[in-house]
């Protein structure tokens, strides 16, 4: 981890630096990442993980991994396992500091009894609809609950009976007694506990009352002696409540600091909507490579290094904004360009027969593994009479500026020889099934002794040695930059569904791609650059003899090019 001075000084770094200078918290820095285990993590969480962890590391502090498991009706062990996997993958190291809010349920309950005894909390019998009615609006104050003035003794008795399971779900809540006329709606006697008779993934059936997030959050931070509680901006209006609870209890008080959440174009970031996409089978699961989930990005081939670089690039501010997904793609390109070994692969094969190359002869040619990394060395690739090239690299009747293979036109085969097209073979329907050419043996390695030049280099694979593979090409999941933004027209907005913006062409599956033989032994998660085509990763669906590759990202931002063309045409 680089020193703080070498990184951009965003406002949170400055706050921590000032706190350390003043001796606040005794110079300690202790952060945490506190997800609720009700879904898989997405790229927005990566920013929070990176920020919390990097602030601790940079200042010689500690980092906690903590699950806010306070809602058993939505939480599952599957989500706990996936979150731990993802946090480790992003680079967060919590050491032996793995905690669960449910570990503190007894302590939280005792704190709640303290507030009841102080007259600062009461048991309320209003149901959810009545509570909304009593709460008021942004412009009108709320009204006190008719149960607000119960005595501490009555409240204590009712609360203990709530814990004992005497009452049904939704029949009673424990509420803080603050101010129903506060301009901050979060301070209008918020609910602290609700009754939920549901099995908890860790506590089993021990509890039937569960703490609300605002009550639990500050207590968890306090119990763990967190110094800087870093939250996204939607919690800014909750901070006065965070402070009120801790101050009323007179316990250790961390500092909550809010920053802007990470929003990404051409996707949705709501856990509810991501769950809907999974359950509705609009995608192939939480780890579908089109999803903004960390498991989806990992499966697609994104590296944790690229993700951390992206998080540093977008920075930490107080201003909500959508980040162009192109910046993430560029971070992936930059990272993979340095680390990915180059390979030859043909996605849409067209047979190329070299008429003057001897039948049955195979030549082994030297191919550079990564021009960005000399230490990566080279490999040998087989060259034979029959090759595969990309269909788009040949045109029978090319336009003027088409420099790839065409009748009478000469090109360079990557790492190999110059070849010149002599004829084509067609089927009964007139489709080209084979291109025939001659090669110049003197141009081995790609240079001509007589100094003649060619204007294009194309990739190829020896047909005899090719590995057959399935290749999955991914595009953006949605057709528009802000897929969940409703139209301005009220009628259109009334029937709007963000799924209307799903991109029907977000996945293209190519069967029968031809790859160089070294890719036949590639393992799940390995990443490569297919020359001229993009960066690809071995998918978890791969099996021996039947490899599957995902395209992580193209070599160039083709989407931006297409958008520019459309604007130009308009």
């Amino acid at each position: 981890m680089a020193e703080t001075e070498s990184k951009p000084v965003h406002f949170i770094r400055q706050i921590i630096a000032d706190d350390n200078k003043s001796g606040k918290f005794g110079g300690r820095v202790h952060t945490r990442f506190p997800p609720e285990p009700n879904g898989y993590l997405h790229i927005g969480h990566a920013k929070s993980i990176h920020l919390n962890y990097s602030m601790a590391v940079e200042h010689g502090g500690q980092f906690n991994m903590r699950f806010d498991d306070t809602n058993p009706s939505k939480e599952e062990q599957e989500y706990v396992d996936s979150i731990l996997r993802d946090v480790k993958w992003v680079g967060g190291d919590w050491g032996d500091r793995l905690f669960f809010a449910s570990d503190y349920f007894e302590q939280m309950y005792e704190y709640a009894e303290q507030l009841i005894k102080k007259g600062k909390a009461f048991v309320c019998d209003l149901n959810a609809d009545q509570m909304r009615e009593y709460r008021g609006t942004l412009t009108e104050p709320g009204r006190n609950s008719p149960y607000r003035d119960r005595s501490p003794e009555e409240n204590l008795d009712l609360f203990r009976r709530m814990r004992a399971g005497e009452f049904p779900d939704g029949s009673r809540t424990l509420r803080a007694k603050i101010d129903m006329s506060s301009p901050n709606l979060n301070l209008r006697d918020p609910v602290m506990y609700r009754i939920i008779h549901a099995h908890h993934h860790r506590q089993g059936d021990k509890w039937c009352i569960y703490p609300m997030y605002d009550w639990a959050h500050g207590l968890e931070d306090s119990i763990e002696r967190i110094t800087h509680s870093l939250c996204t901006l939607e919690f800014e209006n909750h901070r006065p409540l965070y402070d009120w609870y801790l101050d009323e209890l007179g316990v250790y008080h961390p500092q909550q600091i809010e920053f802007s959440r990470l929003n990404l174009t051409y996707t949705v970031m709501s856990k509810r909507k991501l769950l809907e996409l999974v359950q509705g089978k609009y995608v192939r699961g939480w780890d579908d490579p089109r999803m903004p989930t960390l498991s989806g990005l990992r499966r697609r081939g994104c590296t944790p290094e690229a993700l951390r670089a992206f998080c540093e690039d977008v920075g930490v501010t107080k201003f909500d904004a959508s980040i162009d997904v192109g910046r993430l793609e560029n971070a992936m390109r930059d990272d993979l360009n340095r680390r990915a070994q180059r390979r030859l692969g043909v996605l849409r094969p067209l047979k190329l027969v070299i008429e003057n190359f001897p039948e049955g002869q195979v030549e082994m040619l030297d191919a550079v593994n990564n021009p960005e990394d000399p230490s990566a060395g080279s490999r040998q690739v087989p060259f034979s009479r029959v090759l595969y090239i990309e269909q788009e690299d040949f045109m029978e009747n090319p336009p003027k500026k088409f420099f790839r293979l065409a009748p009478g036109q000469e090109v360079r085969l990557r790492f190999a020889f110059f070849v010149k097209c002599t004829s084509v073979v067609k089927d009964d329907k007139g489709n080209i099934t084979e291109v025939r050419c001659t090669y110049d043996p003197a141009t081995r390695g790609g240079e001509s002794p007589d100094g003649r030049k060619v204007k294009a280099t194309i990739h190829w694979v020896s047909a005899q040695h090719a590995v057959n593979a399935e290749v999955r090409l991914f595009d953006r999941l949605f057709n528009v930059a802000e897929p969940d933004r409703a139209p301005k027209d009220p009628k259109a907005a009334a029937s709007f569904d963000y799924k209307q913006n799903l991109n029907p062409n977000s996945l293209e599956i190519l069967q029968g791609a031809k790859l160089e033989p070294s890719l036949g032994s590639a393992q799940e998660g390995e990443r490569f650059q297919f020359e001229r085509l993009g960066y690809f990763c071995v998918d978890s669906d791969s099996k021996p003899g039947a490899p599957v590759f995902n395209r992580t990202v193209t070599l160039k931002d083709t989407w931006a090019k297409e958008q520019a063309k459309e604007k130009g045409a308009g």
Side-chain angles (χ1 to χ4, degrees), residues 174-189:
L174 181 71
R175 298 174 64 182
K177 191 185 290 188
I178 307 180
D179 182 2
M180 289 301 292
S181 63
S182 172
N184 184 338
L185 269 63
N186 294 301
L187 297 179
R188 293 184 184 178
D189 292 4

Side-chain angles (χ1 to χ4, degrees), residues 309-512:
F310 171 69
C311 291
E312 285 291 333
D313 177 51
V314 300
V316 180
T317 70
K318 279 272 192 181
F319 307 103
D320 268 331
S322 283
I323 304 299
D324 192 325
V325 69
R327 290 173 71 176
L328 173 62
E329 292 165 347
N330 283 333
M332 290 194 284
R333 283 189 194 97
D334 289 346
D335 180 72
L336 290 170
N337 183 51
R338 291 189 295 271
R339 71 177 67 246
Q341 294 207 358
R342 277 45 169 176
R343 294 293 184 264
L344 297 174
V346 176
L347 303 188
R348 297 174 176 86
L350 173 63
K351 191 177 287 186
L352 180 74
V353 178
I354 306 173
E355 296 175 315
N356 61 333
F357 194 88
E359 292 267 10
Q361 181 173 313
V362 176
E363 291 197 31
M364 301 303 293
L365 304 175
D366 202 44
V368 174
N369 282 329
N370 187 342
E372 302 293 320
D373 179 11
S375 68
S378 62
R379 68 195 185 282
Q380 295 280 295
V381 292
F383 184 88
S384 60
R385 175 183 170 87
V386 182
L387 311 175
Y388 289 113
I389 62 170
E390 293 287 349
Q391 293 175 14
E392 66 178 23
D393 281 338
F394 176 81
M395 289 186 74
E396 188 177 16
N397 300 297
K400 271 187 178 180
K401 292 189 177 181
F402 184 82
F403 298 122
R404 285 170 272 177
L405 201 57
Q409 204 152 286
E410 192 172 43
V411 299
R412 176 188 294 106
L413 297 179
R414 179 76 163 141
F415 304 123
F417 304 92
F418 287 6
V419 294
K420 181 182 285 188
C421 176
T422 56
S423 62
V424 297
V425 177
K426 299 181 180 180
D427 62 18
D428 295 341
K429 296 179 181 178
N431 299 312
I432 296 171
T433 58
E434 189 176 297
V435 175
R436 303 189 75 87
C437 66
T438 58
Y439 87 116
D440 181 354
T443 60
R444 182 185 175 102
E447 296 298 332
S448 173
D450 63 13
R452 74 182 188 276
K453 303 292 183 185
V454 292
K455 292 186 176 179
T457 299
I458 64 175
H459 59 279
W460 54 274
V461 171
S462 168
Q464 177 186 341
H465 306 89
V467 171
N468 287 310
E470 176 183 309
V471 174
R472 298 170 183 174
L473 306 180
F474 299 100
D475 202 345
R476 291 166 187 180
L477 189 54
F478 291 90
N479 278 323
V480 296
E482 296 179 272
D484 49 2
R485 181 185 287 273
K488 291 182 180 178
D489 176 60
K491 286 185 179 179
S495 61
F496 172 73
D497 183 344
Y498 73 98
K499 295 189 293 296
Q500 295 166 359
N501 291 320
L502 280 165
N503 177 7
N505 302 312
S506 62
L507 170 62
E508 181 181 6
I509 299 177
L510 302 178
Q511 304 287 355

Side-chain angles (χ1 to χ4, degrees), residues 128-143:
D129 290 336
Q130 292 169 328
M131 209 174 292
R132 274 190 292 271
E133 182 187 339
Y134 272 75
R135 194 180 190 201
T137 66
L138 290 171
T139 55
E140 296 177 356
R143 291 177 290 146

Side-chain angles (χ1 to χ4, degrees), residues 64-70 75 96-111 163 193 200-204 206-207 210-211 216 219-220 223-224:
N64 288 5
M65 177 70 217
R66 180 215 304 151
F67 285 95
D68 187 50
D69 55 340
T70 57
E75 296 161 2
D96 61 353
R97 292 177 301 282
L98 172 61
F99 303 108
F100 292 81
S102 54
D103 293 337
Y104 313 133
F105 278 179
E106 194 66 50
Q107 179 69 69
M108 291 179 193
Y109 177 85
E110 290 174 13
Y111 282 143
R163 176 177 179 170
Y193 277 88
H200 189 276
H201 71 105
R202 295 186 76 248
Q203 297 288 330
K206 181 179 177 182
W207 293 88
Y210 287 90
L219 298 181
E220 294 158 21
I223 291 166
E224 293 175 17

